[in-house]
Amino acid sequence: MSKFGKTLLGRLTGSDKSCCCCGSSIVGIRTIRVDDKDMNVVGLDEEFKKHFEAGKTPENIDARELMQNLLKINVVSENELENFKATILKEYVTYWQGNKH
């Protein structure tokens, strides 16, 4: 695997030592609507699950950490950033409500 491929795989799996033979994590892609445009977001459900399992409610989620992790593997233009963040936080509310029991 090329160095670029390993770097990309590492970013997707959260490890800088990833290779294709090590059983890398599968990272999902979800489409959300931001500013009347569809946007594919890599790793959204995995990030939501991590925060949910840590007991983060929509009121106490660390939005900065959530965004930082998502922006490591997703490209969002500067002028879309605030609306992207608002949409992500709304999506987390929906995710949280659907998973709390």
Side-chain angles (χ1 to χ4, degrees):
M1 177 181 285
S2 72
K3 184 175 180 177
F4 173 75
K6 286 182 181 180
T7 300
L8 181 58
L9 184 59
R11 291 183 88 191
L12 291 174
T13 61
S15 170
D16 59 354
K17 300 186 179 5
S18 293
C19 69
C20 60
C21 61
C22 297
S24 62
S25 301
I26 297 173
V27 179
I29 299 172
R30 188 183 338 160
T31 303
I32 62 172
R33 195 108 175 121
V34 179
D35 289 336
D36 296 324
K37 291 188 319 187
D38 287 338
M39 179 181 280
N40 293 324
V41 182
V42 177
L44 184 62
D45 289 323
E46 291 81 4
E47 279 299 311
F48 284 175
K49 181 178 181 184
K50 181 173 75 174
H51 288 273
F52 181 82
E53 288 177 348
K56 301 297 181 179
T57 66
E59 295 78 26
N60 72 2
I61 192 167
D62 184 346
R64 188 178 142 279
E65 178 186 354
L66 176 62
M67 292 303 296
Q68 183 179 26
N69 290 339
L70 289 172
L71 292 174
K72 286 179 184 177
I73 56 176
N74 293 280
V75 177
V76 179
S77 69
E78 193 68 33
N79 61 343
E80 294 177 310
L81 198 52
E82 284 304 312
N83 290 334
F84 177 75
K85 179 180 175 181
T87 302
I88 293 296
L89 293 174
K90 286 179 190 174
E91 290 288 325
Y92 185 71
V93 170
T94 302
Y95 177 90
W96 186 82
Q97 289 174 337
N99 286 286
K100 68 176 181 159
H101 292 98

